[in-house]
Amino acid sequence: LHKITRLSPSYRSKLSKGQLLNYVTVDVKLVFDCIKSCSFLFSAPVTLIAVQLFLFKEVGADGLVLLALFIIVAVVHSYLNRAMSRTTKEKLVIMKSRMKFNIELLAQSDKLDLGWEDVVVDRNRKFRQLENVKNRWYFTLANLYDLLINLTPVLTVLIIFLLELLTRGTSRLDTV
């Protein structure tokens, strides 16, 4: 939103509604992503400490395996977030290039030779293909991100269960 407010009124009048909407969309997406991530900023450390204390009390030092899992998940989470952000920026650059190409071409459309429509269609098809590749990559990363978030509690419970089985098995052997 700050981008639009810094633009002069004369420049804003030259922009199409689509270009203005593009500026706003990028900013709204950044704010939405920030709000979505802020909930983890406060809940993740508290959860990690509580689970680690519980595990240490119940299982002992073997519970540190879960801490290693959380560290691995945090690293993968960070990598996926950066990759999704990079992909979004690359996609926006491609979209901006396509829009710029079309605007420049339309401004000179009366001076162009016959057959220029085929060039525009071909060039736009290439831009769209690049955008589709970025979209597919982004959604693959987003699905991996969601899978990671959804599987973390399942992996945690599974590790707790396995650790409990291992400690019960060793305590039974000690008593026999």
Side-chain angles (χ1 to χ4, degrees):
L1 190 57
H2 293 291
K3 295 174 192 171
I4 294 175
T5 57
R6 281 186 268 156
L7 297 175
S8 67
S10 61
Y11 184 75
R12 258 188 284 164
S13 66
K14 293 178 185 177
L15 293 175
S16 68
K17 290 180 182 178
Q19 289 171 319
L20 286 173
L21 186 62
N22 190 24
Y23 281 129
V24 173
T25 303
V26 171
D27 290 339
V28 168
K29 171 135 178 52
L30 289 173
V31 169
F32 179 74
D33 289 344
C34 180
I35 290 171
K36 192 168 87 172
S37 298
C38 283
S39 65
F40 294 116
L41 181 66
F42 300 108
S43 65
V46 172
T47 304
L48 179 62
I49 291 169
V51 168
Q52 199 58 46
L53 288 173
F54 172 74
L55 273 177
F56 190 76
K57 179 182 174 192
E58 293 294 322
V59 192
D62 293 339
L64 294 176
V65 172
L66 187 61
L67 181 61
L69 173 70
F70 275 123
I71 291 171
I72 290 169
V73 166
V75 169
V76 172
H77 179 272
S78 173
Y79 171 76
L80 287 175
N81 238 354
R82 282 193 308 258
M84 288 168 59
S85 177
R86 217 176 19 249
T87 304
T88 301
K89 288 177 186 173
E90 291 169 357
K91 187 174 73 167
L92 290 174
V93 166
I94 293 169
M95 289 171 63
K96 184 178 178 181
S97 299
R98 180 175 51 85
M99 288 173 51
K100 183 178 178 183
F101 170 75
N102 286 333
I103 289 169
E104 289 173 356
L105 195 67
L106 288 174
Q108 300 174 3
S109 62
D110 56 340
K111 301 174 189 172
L112 296 174
D113 295 334
L114 293 176
W116 65 271
E117 295 93 354
D118 295 334
V119 173
V120 172
V121 168
D122 186 51
R123 186 84 185 265
N124 276 316
R125 185 179 305 123
K126 290 178 183 174
F127 279 125
R128 292 281 185 194
Q129 287 171 346
L130 286 172
E131 287 176 33
N132 288 338
V133 167
K134 294 299 176 187
N135 280 337
R136 282 193 297 271
W137 178 240
Y138 179 83
F139 288 119
T140 301
L141 290 171
N143 287 335
L144 284 173
Y145 180 86
D146 289 342
L147 182 67
L148 177 71
I149 295 298
N150 292 329
L151 279 183
T152 301
V154 174
L155 289 174
T156 303
V157 169
L158 184 63
I159 287 174
I160 292 171
F161 179 73
L162 290 174
L163 288 173
E164 186 67 26
L165 283 177
L166 288 173
T167 56
R168 281 187 187 167
T170 56
S171 63
R172 285 189 197 150
L173 291 175
D174 293 339
T175 57
V176 173

